[in-house]
Amino acid sequence: MPSPQLEIDGRQVARALDLDVDSFRRLMDDGRIAVLCERGTGEDAGTWRASYYYQGRRARFPVDARGRIRPA
């Protein structure tokens, strides 16, 4: 099964990290926000989780096999 293209709206990430969108974009461009994308295994096979980290804050977005964000 091919991996979905994960597209997470920057506004959602910015809000979850308590940042305004312009600051979020600038920090992403500067490489100051870390991103980790994990693929589910076992009973979570076919799902993904994208996590964003900035200054001790974390925003996590579980994503289903179709690339849609699921409720956490």
Side-chain angles (χ1 to χ4, degrees), residues 2 13 15 29 31-32 35 43 57 71:
V13 181
R15 189 175 327 117
D29 288 344
R32 295 181 55 204
V35 181
E43 67 181 42
R57 292 175 251 174

Side-chain angles (χ1 to χ4, degrees), residues 11-46:
R11 291 174 295 192
Q12 289 179 280
V13 181
R15 189 175 327 117
L17 292 174
D18 197 27
L19 298 168
D20 62 80
V21 175
D22 290 335
S23 294
F24 169 73
R25 289 182 177 151
R26 187 177 61 256
L27 291 164
M28 282 292 293
D29 288 344
D30 292 345
R32 295 181 55 204
I33 294 178
V35 181
L36 174 65
C37 187
E38 303 167 278
R39 181 179 56 189
T41 61
E43 67 181 42
D44 293 320

